[in-house]
Amino acid sequence: MLGYIKSLFEKKPPVKERPPYYSIVCPFCFSKFEPEEVVFRANHTKDNDDEFMLQEDRRLNDWRRKFHLSEVDVEAVIDPDTIPDDYKHYSHNVLIAVSDRYGETTKRRLCPNCHNELPISSGKVPSNIISIVGASQVGKSVYMTSLIHTLQQTTASNFNAACMPLSAEISQKYRQNYHEPIFERGSMLQSTNPNEQQEPFIFQFVFKDPEQAPLMLVFFDVAGEGMVERDYLDIYAAHIKNSSGILFLVDPLQIRTIRDRIHLNLGEEEGEFANRYDEPREVVISLFENFIAHQHNSKTDIPTAIVLTKSDMLQYLKEEDSEYIQPNSNVFRNVVHKGYLNQTEFQNINGEISRFIERVDRPFKDAIDVYFTNTAYFAVSALGTNPINKQVTNVINPIRVDEPFIWLLHQLDYVVRRDAT
């Protein structure tokens, strides 16, 4: 009998069966639909055919106007319902191409709602979207840059994978507008403008094991000012709702208790500086109004990493402030997770930052506990040092920036969690 009971505990969980296809989340408008609902962009034009000449695409132009982009004339949209079954082409149970009446085949699949072109892998692999949210000045753009840099330089190798941009255009924009200014020139980025389009950065975390499906990563940097403006956040509610994971960034300087002490210890006057920061709880309220309130029981079960940014600033707390952060805190020590999420390190940082947030901003911690059912707490420093006059004079040395992402990988069943051996 004891042997039987022991065998029950030692039995491995059943392997999840791969579904025939996956629902698609558009990385541009973030609507969710099935692969059979896609439409196609014609691969040619015919000046003598009104249907196949260059024309206005109202859905695409509506989306472009929303983000202050110029309107364009494009090739015709082809509805697969108008195409005979013999002229439809499938791969892994996913409709990937159609041939029109001129015998031209197109593989340019479009979102049925905004008519932007979908990634090639859509429907074949999970559309896992990682949202980065937080108020203005928390450093979302800098963190995103440092995270992608770390994923490409170390994390991917540590998990037998590669992190690659989805297109050459994304690679070029990331390199020129984000990576080079920070990591090559040591210059800080300008604040994200809510009146300008913030195009999503789409990367794939591709595992070298062909049996392991790649993970689609869509980093969408919502301007912080918009996170507390209801009309602005309405645009992005679908993005957050259809996310597979959320990185919720919190700046220590958002928390008045800590902000006052840091500026006092640095010998700086706050002045109007404090007015640039929204309270973290205000972001939670905005998320609740625009998204969470419409979920079951007014809660969300999307895995959410609460990420304390600019953790290097906490070194300016003096010894008498040790009730908040000890000088030998895990916060100031980088950790590399290789092949799995180190459970000991994760539990240490999760417990320490959870207690820290509860101590310095109890209303925010209570709001998180009420509205989010699956959370963990982290501390990161995207640069490892505090910029002076928007310049980094020291060597950039990110601290624990990929740890929240690895936790999300674990939540999505891509990596395991265990104690270090």
Side-chain angles (χ1 to χ4, degrees):
M1 184 66 180
L2 289 176
Y4 172 73
I5 295 175
K6 183 179 179 181
S7 67
L8 289 178
F9 285 100
E10 291 179 347
K11 186 177 181 180
K12 294 182 179 180
V15 177
K16 292 183 179 179
E17 290 188 13
R18 188 185 189 282
Y21 57 82
Y22 295 88
S23 298
I24 299 172
V25 177
C26 173
F28 297 94
C29 72
F30 308 106
S31 59
K32 189 174 184 178
F33 49 90
E34 301 307 315
E36 286 288 336
E37 299 178 66
V38 302
V39 293
F40 289 81
R41 180 77 64 201
N43 221 16
H44 64 97
T45 59
K46 297 284 185 182
D47 292 336
N48 61 349
D49 187 329
D50 289 344
E51 183 181 350
F52 281 91
M53 65 193 309
L54 285 177
Q55 57 195 265
E56 177 190 9
D57 185 331
R58 290 187 178 180
R59 292 199 180 191
L60 178 61
N61 283 335
D62 285 346
W63 181 87
R64 293 179 67 85
R65 279 195 300 271
K66 186 182 296 184
F67 295 97
H68 310 285
L69 293 175
S70 61
E71 298 179 29
V72 294
D73 286 342
V74 290
E75 296 86 355
V77 173
I78 300 175
D79 187 339
D81 287 343
T82 65
I83 303 295
D85 289 343
D86 290 346
Y87 293 89
K88 297 178 181 179
H89 310 277
Y90 291 82
S91 174
H92 296 92
N93 300 303
V94 174
L95 178 64
I96 61 166
V98 295
S99 299
D100 61 34
R101 65 170 178 261
Y102 289 98
E104 296 282 350
T105 299
T106 175
K107 296 182 178 180
R108 300 169 64 188
R109 292 185 299 161
L110 310 179
C111 167
N113 298 292
C114 70
H115 286 187
N116 276 291
E117 193 164 344
L118 296 168
I120 295 173
S121 59
S122 295
K124 299 178 183 179
V125 299
S127 295
N128 284 321
I129 289 181
I130 306 300
S131 301
I132 299 178
V133 302
S136 179
Q137 304 294 328
V138 301
K140 294 185 296 298
S141 297
V142 176
Y143 174 69
M144 178 187 70
T145 305
S146 183
L147 174 59
I148 294 175
H149 170 85
T150 303
L151 294 181
Q152 292 181 333
Q153 296 297 319
T154 60
T155 314
S157 177
N158 288 337
F159 287 86
N160 202 28
C163 182
M164 300 179 296
L166 193 66
S167 68
E169 182 181 1
I170 291 173
S171 178
Q172 183 180 36
K173 183 176 180 181
Y174 167 72
R175 185 181 72 253
Q176 292 180 351
N177 297 352
Y178 293 85
H179 191 271
E180 288 180 359
I182 292 178
F183 283 90
E184 295 183 21
R185 299 195 294 272
S187 300
M188 289 298 93
L189 306 173
Q190 296 294 321
S191 296
T192 303
N193 186 346
N195 295 317
E196 294 180 1
Q197 183 203 23
Q198 308 306 320
E199 294 177 280
F201 285 86
I202 307 172
F203 288 77
Q204 278 192 316
F205 205 75
V206 184
F207 294 88
K208 296 178 182 179
D209 180 359
E211 298 299 319
Q212 177 76 294
L215 174 69
M216 179 73 67
L217 306 175
V218 181
F219 295 96
F220 194 69
D221 185 19
V222 179
E225 291 85 348
M227 291 306 299
V228 291
E229 295 177 13
R230 180 163 185 161
D231 291 341
Y232 186 84
L233 189 58
D234 277 344
I235 300 173
Y236 303 103
H239 164 57
I240 300 170
K241 174 183 177 181
N242 290 322
S243 295
S244 300
I246 297 174
L247 294 166
F248 192 126
L249 306 191
V250 178
D251 185 339
L253 298 179
Q254 283 182 277
I255 304 170
R256 178 168 294 277
T257 306
I258 298 302
R259 182 170 69 235
D260 292 345
R261 290 179 179 271
I262 288 176
H263 283 281
L264 178 65
N265 294 341
L266 285 174
E268 295 180 357
E269 294 291 335
E270 250 191 300
E272 62 182 40
F273 181 82
N275 296 328
R276 292 161 41 201
Y277 288 86
D278 296 306
E279 296 288 337
R281 189 172 59 144
E282 293 171 359
V283 179
V284 177
I285 293 171
S286 292
L287 290 174
F288 176 76
E289 291 178 335
N290 291 275
F291 158 55
I292 299 174
H294 307 290
Q295 304 304 297
H296 179 64
N297 292 331
S298 295
K299 297 176 183 288
T300 178
D301 58 0
I302 298 174
T304 301
I306 312 299
V307 184
L308 191 70
T309 65
K310 305 177 186 176
S311 60
D312 56 280
M313 292 291 289
L314 299 178
Q315 67 181 302
Y316 296 111
L317 294 173
K318 292 185 176 179
E319 289 186 9
E320 55 265 29
D321 299 320
S322 60
E323 60 182 291
Y324 299 115
I325 291 290
Q326 296 287 336
N328 62 346
S329 167
N330 294 305
V331 167
F332 307 119
R333 181 174 57 86
N334 192 35
V335 169
V336 177
H337 299 264
K338 190 170 183 178
Y340 59 91
L341 177 65
N342 186 316
Q343 182 167 271
T344 302
E345 294 291 350
F346 161 68
Q347 288 179 340
N348 286 342
I349 197 72
N350 176 45
E352 181 175 3
I353 300 304
S354 175
R355 291 188 295 270
F356 172 79
I357 295 293
E358 186 172 40
R359 190 173 295 124
V360 301
D361 195 343
R362 184 61 181 265
F364 170 65
K365 177 65 164 56
D366 288 343
I368 291 293
D369 291 344
V370 166
Y371 296 136
F372 295 80
T373 63
N374 185 8
T375 59
Y377 291 80
F378 303 89
V380 305
S381 175
L383 306 174
T385 185
N386 184 37
I388 300 175
N389 296 324
K390 296 189 176 181
Q391 285 290 132
V392 179
T393 56
N394 299 328
V395 175
I396 294 178
N397 184 28
I399 299 175
R400 307 185 85 130
V401 294
D402 63 345
E403 196 167 38
F405 171 79
I406 295 171
W407 177 76
L408 289 175
L409 282 183
H410 165 67
Q411 293 295 305
L412 297 172
D413 295 327
Y414 279 89
V415 303
V416 298
R417 183 176 78 178
R418 67 170 184 255
D419 292 322
T421 54

